[in-house]
Amino acid sequence: MEKMIAKPQLGFGEAVKLAWSRLTEINGRSRRSEFWWTMLAYVLCGIFVGSIAGLVLPPVAAQIVGALFQLLVLPLTIRRVQDTGHSKWWPILSWLAGAVINIMMAGAQDALSTVNPDSEAAESLFTNPVFWVSIIVALVAGLATFIFCLLDSKPEANKYGESPKYTTQTDNIF
């Protein structure tokens, strides 16, 4: 008889090292511990990089740097979502919609953040259907991705590969 046994959780260093070694790999699966420890490192680095980019770059360039920085964790997020048996399109849609929103906001930031803001620029941004569709897509896909990342791994193999968390153990009666 076969039993499913969970492997021990990954530690911070081990998780970040594993995620870094698979930086561009979107095939396969990633465990929750690998994902969440790496996201902690990403957020801490993102605060630092975002602060520096915001100080030395124009707003549009800082937004582009932020979107590119998010690309570093996109493959990990894709693998995490696939570990729960869901499609990679959820995090991809979330990233794309977020990038569109950030670029549109950065383009209007100069006109809106002055002493005398340009009301036409604000109206142009907030009446743009692409802006609102992007917000809805980002919210729905982002929430779905977040929920999928919270779920436990499927113990059995799925179409994305073997479970990185569970292994089978055979009972030997003799």
Side-chain angles (χ1 to χ4, degrees):
M1 163 128 352
E2 290 185 350
K3 290 192 309 187
M4 299 302 277
I5 305 292
K7 297 175 186 173
Q9 285 186 352
L10 301 175
F12 178 79
E14 187 180 14
V16 172
K17 184 178 176 183
L18 178 60
W20 184 257
S21 72
R22 300 172 63 194
L23 190 62
T24 60
E25 184 181 325
I26 62 169
N27 296 321
R29 299 167 63 171
S30 288
R31 296 179 62 174
R32 275 189 299 190
S33 55
E34 177 186 354
F35 177 79
W36 289 110
W37 281 122
T38 304
M39 289 305 288
L40 174 63
Y42 163 77
V43 167
L44 295 175
C45 291
I47 291 169
F48 179 73
V49 169
S51 298
I52 291 174
L55 291 173
V56 299
L57 296 173
V60 173
Q63 292 294 337
I64 291 171
V65 167
L68 293 174
F69 192 67
Q70 288 176 339
L71 277 176
L72 292 175
V73 292
L74 186 60
L76 172 64
T77 307
I78 288 170
R79 289 192 313 270
R80 178 71 205 123
V81 167
Q82 289 176 163
D83 187 43
T84 62
H86 296 91
S87 172
K88 69 180 112 201
W89 288 106
W90 289 104
I92 291 171
L93 279 174
S94 178
W95 183 85
L96 288 172
V100 168
I101 293 165
N102 286 336
I103 291 169
M104 290 180 80
M105 291 289 289
Q109 185 173 357
D110 287 338
L112 299 176
S113 64
T114 62
V115 175
N116 297 316
D118 182 3
S119 61
E120 289 178 13
E123 185 179 344
S124 169
L125 176 66
F126 295 119
T127 58
N128 188 334
V130 172
F131 180 74
W132 289 105
V133 168
S134 296
I135 287 177
I136 292 168
V137 169
L139 286 172
V140 170
L143 182 61
T145 298
F146 178 71
I147 291 169
F148 297 152
C149 289
L150 290 173
L151 299 175
D152 193 14
S153 299
K154 299 290 183 191
E156 63 280 346
N158 65 20
K159 64 182 178 179
Y160 305 107
E162 293 293 322
S163 173
K165 178 178 179 179
Y166 294 100
T167 185
T168 56
Q169 180 181 22
T170 313
D171 286 340
N172 192 353
I173 345 181
F174 300 103

